[in-house]
Amino acid sequence: MNPPLSPIRAIQQLPDNLISQIAAGEVVERPSAVVKELLENALDAGASQITVRLEQGGVKRIAITDNGRGIAPEQLPLALARHATSKISSLHDLENVATLGFRGEALASIASVSQLTLSSRTADAGHASEIDGSTLAVTPSSGAQGTTVDVQDLYFNTPARRKFLKSEQTEFGHCAEVVRRIALARPDVSFSLTHNGKTVDHWNITEIAKRSASILGNEFANARLALDEGAGPLRLHGFVGLPTASKARADAQYFYVNGRFVRDKLLVHAVRAAYQDVLHGDRYPSYVLGLDLDPALVDVNVHPSKIEVRFRDSRSVHQFVFHAVSRALAQTSATSFGATPAPLPSPSGAMPWIRGSQEHLQAILQPDAQVPQQQTSFGPQFAPAANGVAQTAANYGALFSGNERTADGAAIYPAMPQLASHTLPSDDFPLGFALAQLHGIYILAQNTKGLVLVDMHAAHERILYEQLKGALDEDAMQVQPLLIPVTFFADAVEVGTAEENRDTLHALGFDIAAISPTTLAVRSVPALLKNADAQTLARDVLRDVREFGGSRVLVERRNELLGTLACHTAVRANRSLTAPEMNALLRQMEATERADQCNHGRPTWSQLALSDLDKLFLRGQ
């Protein structure tokens, strides 16, 4: 049934008050929107100290006081007028906005749906002045330099809007989140937040490291990476959380563009893509990042609440953010669990054990190969034991330096690792040295902090994955020709995929050719995967190439494909490793980027400190 037609009305000019109330529908969505607009005005005025007082979640009262420049008495009526602002005066200013507020609608819109009082004092004024938002009458007042905006009874004259508000605690939560967002962006400003007369938060002037730790908590502070990179007009700085600081919800993600908090899909996608190799399942990363660029290169006037932006060159911004965050996360080699990683060790000169470790790591993939004694960098005392487990206690004592001995001359093993006759700092061996294998799945190792548990399949998978990525990036994929090609039955789709995507397969290190309408032959595979099942590898790579498309697989879906290949080749569970093989794997983990997680985002190792073990056995209690 069609609704009745509305009566025809003449076109008429709307009254100013109704115009402001309509604008308030966009600007004043809820009390938190008022808090945001007033805080931005305070910061634009140069405030270094801001106090926010709320009552009943901001519905009853929002009072924000700052110590900024203040407003001259004669300009107070203009401050409450629509489209009146001191921040822009021309199209050039609009295209180069360097302030948080600039539209000139906030105060007028807020005053139209509340009882607003504004008092302000400039540095050269003898006293403060106050203006009533309803009557626009200006009267003398008292107060220090700065401005106080007191908003009471929000939506008192639009009760329908008030019905859409949530509970007091919900509205207060939104207001508190706005204060936190802005406080994160401006550690050079002190903020105080009270609700119903009780102080909820207070942050003194400090640096961004301490401010972010105070707001996001110790869990983030203890598991974050500092980031500061520049490229041309772009600069990205702040902190990205380690994967161990990921959360089940995206409630610890703060991104700022020229100091303005934004929720931009392009930026969120860039950061998420950088985390794709190290996040497990549906976990969300934590970060506090600021992107600085020329205001002319970004349009902040694309949304009424200014929470979305548009970049002039969005692709360049996306790539810059993605690569900057990726490089920061690449520093997460095997380090102290849940703490800021140390720099990656250099494979040349300073740490000779890396050169020998590669031979032992290859032994993991070559069960029948014998590791020559002279090739091991662990010395003759670390020859593989007959049972494939770690050395005796006497041999492992040689891993630790120190001169302490008991009365009968027996050595006491301190917590400083030693390699043959070379004493190295303990920080060079964050994963310590292997003690044993548990159920053919985990490596048990001892380091200076206590016990280390390593998932050998996940760890080896990450090592191979990073090696494959590096080889492909440098166009240096080593190829292993097969002495006898591996042939297998293939359907018409697989044969067609191999013939149509020969160049893509060659770039990945595969030579797969059709020798009949129903048979494919694998003639070469990547050298890193030479000990894997060639037929299984070929079928998987053909499946991914067919699914993702040959032209896209090396660009958009490359990591998924390489992850599949690495997973096939990584050492499997129930494989018995010798001590040199286990130690070689630990050394390779320490030298591999992102080694804290496998490429599916699962942790590769975990640390049990001596204090944790003491608690298990009630030692010292």
Side-chain angles (χ1 to χ4, degrees), residues 259-451:
R260 183 191 307 277
F261 176 83
V262 298
R263 272 197 208 284
D264 186 76
K265 293 180 180 179
L266 179 138
L267 298 175
V268 170
H269 182 273
V271 176
R272 181 73 182 185
Y275 273 91
Q276 67 179 353
D277 281 351
V278 293
L279 274 189
H280 179 59
D282 294 327
R283 304 287 292 179
Y284 292 91
S286 302
Y287 52 83
V288 178
L289 292 172
L291 177 65
D292 296 338
L293 71 165
D294 187 340
L297 300 179
V298 56
D299 185 2
V300 299
N301 194 27
V302 298
H303 192 275
S305 64
K306 301 186 290 291
I307 203 169
E308 297 178 8
V309 295
R310 182 180 293 117
F311 297 100
R312 180 172 294 180
D313 189 351
S314 58
R315 179 175 177 81
S316 295
V317 171
H318 182 280
Q319 290 299 99
F320 170 69
V321 173
F322 167 73
H323 288 295
V325 176
S326 294
R327 281 189 288 269
L329 293 175
Q331 297 303 306
T332 57
S333 59
T335 55
S336 52
F337 187 73
T340 303
L344 288 174
S346 170
S348 60
M351 298 186 180
W353 42 261
I354 292 182
R355 294 195 296 271
S357 68
Q358 183 62 36
E359 287 83 355
H360 288 287
L361 188 60
Q362 288 300 323
I364 298 174
L365 301 179
Q366 299 174 352
D368 299 327
Q370 297 295 323
V371 181
Q373 185 66 46
Q374 64 273 20
Q375 288 185 352
T376 175
S377 61
F378 295 95
Q381 69 269 37
F382 300 112
N387 59 0
V389 189
Q391 283 59 247
T392 63
N395 281 343
Y396 256 88
L399 297 179
F400 302 95
S401 64
N403 299 320
E404 296 186 37
R405 290 183 176 272
T406 62
D408 59 0
I412 299 176
Y413 305 140
M416 181 71 73
Q418 177 174 301
L419 188 59
S421 60
H422 305 288
T423 299
L424 296 176
S426 60
D427 289 343
D428 289 339
F429 300 95
L431 293 183
F433 292 86
L435 297 171
Q437 224 178 336
L438 182 63
H439 289 291
I441 300 174
Y442 301 102
I443 294 174
L444 306 184
Q446 175 180 324
N447 65 358
T448 58
K449 294 184 178 181
L451 181 66

